[in-house]
Amino acid sequence: MQLRYSFRVYPSAGQRSALARAFGCARVVFNDALRVREEARAAGLPFVTSAELSKHLTAVKKTPERAWLGEVSAVILQQSLRDLDTAYRNFFDGLKGKRPRMGAPRLKSKRDNRQSIRFTANAAWRITPGGKLRLPKIGDLKVKWSRTLPSTPTTVTVVRDAAGRYFASFVVGTDASEVLPETTPEVGIDLGLGHFAVLSDGTKADSPRFLRRAEKRLKKTQRALSRKEKGSRNRHKARLKVARAHARVADARREFLHQLSTRIIRENQAVAVEDLAVKGLARTRLAKSVHDAGWSAFVTMLEYKAARYGRTFVKIGRFEPTSQVCSRCGVKDGPKPLNVREWTCKECGAVLDRDINAAVNIAKAAGLAVTACGAQVRPGLVPAPRSEAGTHPKRPTQPVWEQAGIPGL
């Protein structure tokens, strides 16, 4: 499979100017090609192909109005046309139902939060012996290598985010050498807001609530931005402060999701999760907390890491009654409000933790070989057999509680 490795890049002042020029040229080529296709559609002409757009680009570069397009690498201009083709393909596939619907391609702006250019292998870019990234017509960029690349990268994308940071994103291929040795545990995961993830073995991961914890600082920077005059230099500085504050929150959340997903994949042979309706939950009063949790990103990480390391990943339907079924006896006890965190099964008398019980049911619905021992908070009162009634010594009036997975004394 192909993976993407991203590293922080620190360009000099001259290299930042060269990158800004490259971003602008790629943006102009994308917008010009989009206008050509839209004008052809408005005139009732056939769809303009990629080959025709490439010829149009070659002719435009020879005109005085667009002669400055020759100041950057021709590869990034061609890749900009490929990006337009991808945008149209995703749009048409959404109309056909092959993927979630998305809007039609739109014009790019220099004020967009993300600017990027892509170099393929034929652009003659390379990593120097000194560890710098050499890009054509830009120079040698200083890269902070946080880890080694598993193989030779095929493409590199230079990205500038809203906070003004630069990143080099490499696409590399992996092989079967990264498959982890087989292990025994199989686990189901119930995602929530009180606890971010509850595993069927009883493990609970608290929700860090990164956005909630940073709200005070974010409000202060946003308030300072609102007081600056539009178009001023001070407003630009304040906007960068807001973007950097949000970037710190996003980076902390991403780091937490990566660490938790990697640990779960390494320790378990099979993982099952529930297909949550995140878009629907994001339209409720819990919208901020739902977005702060990052469930979709976490499930995506579990999916691709399972494929990478040779694990089994299963996603069950969102309409499975995981919180309504007793994981001990399988009796459906009906829906329960969110404030009910524990409930007693009317059939077997087991007192169940709502989240752990749901995690066990998720694993069972996925066909994983798990036990329901983790779902029980404490055992219910079980009557003694009739033949043994009255033969036990007198017990204390208060029952002894036992935690899940820990035998009583």
Side-chain angles (χ1 to χ4, degrees):
M1 62 182 302
Q2 286 188 333
L3 297 175
R4 187 175 292 277
Y5 285 74
S6 184
F7 302 92
R8 185 76 180 271
V9 176
Y10 297 90
S12 62
Q15 291 169 347
R16 287 197 297 269
S17 299
L19 287 171
R21 188 183 307 111
F23 293 145
C25 291
R27 184 174 60 249
V28 167
V29 169
F30 183 94
N31 292 342
D32 286 350
L34 179 59
R35 291 191 186 95
V36 169
R37 283 183 171 174
E38 289 300 312
E39 291 173 359
R41 183 185 64 83
L45 300 176
F47 186 78
V48 182
T49 63
S50 301
E52 294 173 347
L53 289 178
S54 182
K55 293 179 180 179
H56 180 267
L57 173 61
T58 303
V60 165
K61 289 172 64 176
K62 299 178 180 179
T63 61
E65 294 80 6
R66 291 286 191 265
W68 39 267
L69 291 176
E71 299 177 2
V72 300
S73 174
V75 174
I76 65 175
L77 304 182
Q78 292 295 330
Q79 291 302 310
S80 187
L81 296 180
R82 302 290 85 77
D83 292 340
L84 180 62
D85 290 338
T86 302
Y88 269 103
R89 189 183 309 111
N90 293 338
F91 171 64
F92 291 139
D93 288 346
L95 296 179
K96 297 176 183 177
K98 297 181 180 180
R99 56 166 296 148
R101 283 205 172 193
M102 59 184 309
R106 65 170 184 84
L107 297 175
K108 292 185 177 182
S109 171
K110 66 179 181 180
R111 295 179 178 84
D112 289 343
N113 291 334
R114 185 179 184 275
Q115 304 285 341
S116 65
I117 52 175
R118 185 168 62 254
F119 296 88
T120 56
N122 57 353
W125 67 271
R126 66 187 183 91
I127 300 174
T128 64
K132 292 188 175 182
L133 177 61
R134 179 167 296 174
L135 299 177
K137 298 187 178 182
I138 293 177
D140 295 350
L141 302 180
K142 181 182 177 182
V143 183
K144 185 177 182 180
W145 301 102
S146 56
R147 51 184 171 171
T148 58
L149 295 173
S151 61
T152 303
T154 56
T155 64
V156 59
T157 304
V158 181
V159 181
R160 187 188 66 194
D161 64 2
R165 303 177 301 177
Y166 293 84
F167 295 90
S169 180
F170 299 91
V171 175
V172 299
T174 60
D175 51 18
S177 61
E178 294 189 348
V179 175
L180 296 174
E182 292 189 5
T183 184
T184 304
E186 297 179 342
V187 69
I189 304 176
D190 178 65
L191 301 176
L193 296 178
H195 291 89
F196 174 77
V198 179
L199 278 59
S200 56
D201 59 3
T203 305
K204 294 185 177 181
D206 292 333
S207 180
R209 296 185 174 93
F210 294 104
L211 182 61
R212 295 288 186 181
R213 285 158 45 185
E215 273 187 329
K216 186 175 181 180
R217 182 174 64 251
L218 291 173
K219 287 180 180 179
K220 183 178 180 180
T221 56
Q222 188 66 49
R223 191 181 298 115
L225 172 63
S226 64
R227 293 170 178 167
K228 301 298 184 293
E229 183 180 355
K230 291 186 177 181
S232 65
R233 183 65 179 175
N234 287 335
R235 184 177 180 86
H236 175 70
K237 294 178 181 178
R239 187 197 62 79
L240 284 180
K241 289 183 179 180
V242 173
R244 287 166 184 163
H246 280 284
R248 281 192 292 267
V249 174
D251 291 344
R253 183 189 298 112
R254 190 182 305 109
E255 180 69 14
F256 166 76
L257 298 179
H258 271 298
Q259 291 183 358
L260 181 60
S261 60
T262 299
R263 180 168 61 86
I264 292 175
I265 290 298
R266 289 187 180 276
E267 296 177 355
N268 300 277
Q269 183 62 33
V271 178
V273 297
E274 187 178 8
D275 184 19
L276 296 174
V278 178
K279 288 185 177 180
L281 292 172
R283 289 193 291 266
T284 65
R285 60 184 177 87
L286 302 174
K288 184 181 291 188
S289 298
V290 169
H291 286 303
D292 190 16
W295 293 331
S296 297
F298 179 68
V299 173
T300 302
M301 291 178 184
L302 287 176
E303 188 172 5
Y304 87 78
K305 289 179 182 180
R308 177 182 181 183
Y309 295 116
R311 301 306 198 203
T312 302
F313 176 81
V314 184
K315 186 185 293 186
I316 69 170
R318 63 184 61 172
F319 299 108
E320 288 287 338
T322 56
S323 298
Q324 304 178 24
V325 177
C326 174
S327 58
R328 299 278 293 183
C329 60
V331 173
K332 186 175 180 180
D333 206 10
K336 304 164 188 63
L338 290 177
N339 61 346
V340 178
R341 308 317 302 172
E342 295 181 7
W343 57 285
T344 303
C345 179
K346 298 179 181 178
E347 186 69 20
C348 64
V351 182
L352 306 170
D353 182 279
R354 180 191 184 105
D355 298 329
I356 302 178
N357 179 76
V360 174
N361 286 330
I362 289 173
K364 287 186 175 183
L368 304 185
V370 298
T371 61
C373 61
Q376 190 169 345
V377 177
R378 57 186 183 272
L381 297 178
V382 181
R386 185 176 299 274
S387 60
E388 297 182 2
T391 60
H392 295 283
K394 187 176 181 180
R395 296 184 178 181
T397 56
Q398 295 294 332
V400 180
W401 289 11
E402 295 180 356
Q403 295 184 358
I406 303 178
L409 300 178

